[in-house]
Structure formats: C-alpha cells, structure tokens
Amino acid sequence: SFIMKFGKEYNECTDMSKVESWNREMNLGREKIFEVRKTHNDITFIDEFFTQEFCQRQQLFTYKYNQRSGRFEIDSRDFMDIKNKLLAQLTNFGNPVIDVIDSNYQNRGELLLKHEHYGVDLDYAQCSDTLRNIHFLWKRPVYIESIIEDSASLIYFDGKEVLTKKI
C-alpha cells in the first residue's frame, strides 16, 4: 500500500509533525507514480517533489572541495541550497555554462570567457584541460572568470602553465 503524500493540502501543510505522519489512505500512490513518470523529467520531478521533509529525513547536504585542507567538506544543510544545487547539476546536462566575453581581452587578442556559476564551482582539472585545448586553437592566452570558494577569480593559461588569481 502506497501512502498519498501529494496534492494541494499536503503541499500547503506547514506543520512538520502532520507532514511526517501524513496518510490519507486513498490508495492512489501507485497511480500517482505512473502519472509522474509520464509527465515529469528529472528537473521538473525534483522541482516539484523534492521536499524539505525528505531532505531532513535523509540528512542531505551539499559539499565542496576545500583546497586548504585537501578534503571535501559539508558546505550547507539548507534545503533550498541542496535543491538548487541538484537542479543546477541537471541543467545543461551538468556541463558548466561558459560565455565568451571578449576576444580581444587586454587589447592583445587574448580570449576572456566567463563561467555562469549557479552555485557550483568548476572542476579545476577539467577547467585546466579546457583552457589548454582552447589555447591550442586560439594561439593566445585564454582566461576564464569564475567563482572559486566564494571568491571571484580568474583562471588562465598563458601557454606554459595554468594560473589562478582572485579578482
């Protein structure tokens, strides 16, 4: 038997004890599962059905790599932070969104790109490889603006090494 935990009344309930023990015994759970499967993709499913109750019950959190300690650490236990990070990872198929800002950066024919952050830092190794590959094609230094550990930063490849500086 499936417990019905959906609908307007459930969604608008703010009493967590009522939400926790919610059961209308309408036997519509299986029907709802198949309806959701037909009408939702990963993004719309998480947006609609990923709840604060589920997040708390499963003790979910976001994490990020701390370069100083060399470890992954808990970043946030906030429900909206977790939901937004899940949704951001599903948009653009999990690939970062990067825009060309200036093809004559510093008036030297260098390429300036910008990473649309959306709360997820770039993977540094992949970023480095990408900058090297673009440099191979562009034949000039390549820069990318992004956020690293909550600080605006510029990652660039000058033809010899990948460097990072805060901006």
Side-chain angles (χ1 to χ4, degrees):
S1 171
F2 293 97
I3 296 172
M4 183 179 162
K5 286 194 173 189
F6 61 89
K8 182 175 174 22
E9 198 177 342
Y10 175 77
N11 290 339
E12 292 175 356
C13 183
T14 57
D15 182 342
M16 286 306 279
S17 63
K18 284 184 182 177
V19 167
E20 188 73 30
S21 61
W22 195 275
N23 188 356
R24 293 289 186 253
E25 302 214 15
M26 299 173 74
N27 294 319
L28 296 174
R30 184 179 300 275
E31 184 179 313
K32 184 67 174 179
I33 289 170
F34 286 104
E35 176 191 325
V36 168
R37 192 176 74 178
K38 285 181 195 172
T39 59
H40 289 72
N41 61 32
D42 292 347
I43 295 168
T44 60
F45 176 81
I46 288 173
D47 193 38
E48 186 168 339
F49 295 104
F50 185 75
T51 65
Q52 187 163 359
E53 175 205 5
F54 175 81
C55 193
Q56 289 171 344
R57 193 168 2 108
Q58 299 302 316
Q59 300 178 355
L60 299 178
F61 56 87
T62 63
Y63 63 90
K64 68 179 180 181
Y65 186 75
N66 183 331
Q67 289 182 327
R68 286 177 288 238
S69 68
R71 300 179 337 179
F72 285 94
E73 298 174 353
I74 292 174
D75 184 37
S76 174
R77 290 185 185 274
D78 180 72
F79 167 68
M80 286 310 298
D81 287 348
I82 296 165
K83 184 173 183 173
N84 288 337
K85 193 163 190 176
L86 280 170
L87 290 171
Q89 290 173 340
L90 291 171
T91 57
N92 199 33
F93 303 103
N95 295 314
V97 176
I98 297 175
D99 299 313
V100 174
I101 302 300
D102 190 350
S103 62
N104 191 23
Y105 182 56
Q106 299 179 356
N107 205 26
R108 296 193 304 217
E110 298 172 354
L111 183 62
L112 175 63
L113 308 170
K114 181 170 178 136
H115 168 231
E116 297 298 330
H117 192 263
Y118 302 123
V120 180
D121 287 3
L122 287 172
D123 178 292
Y124 192 79
Q126 288 184 351
C127 180
S128 297
D129 289 346
T130 300
L131 289 173
R132 289 174 191 277
N133 289 330
I134 294 172
H135 180 273
F136 176 77
L137 297 171
W138 194 256
K139 306 289 187 217
R140 305 281 307 143
V142 181
Y143 302 78
I144 185 164
E145 290 180 10
S146 188
I147 305 293
I148 301 174
E149 295 182 356
D150 301 322
S151 296
S153 300
L154 191 64
I155 308 164
Y156 59 99
F157 182 65
D158 61 7
K160 296 179 185 165
E161 61 183 329
V162 176
L163 303 164
T164 304
K165 70 177 182 180
K166 293 190 188 296
I167 52 175

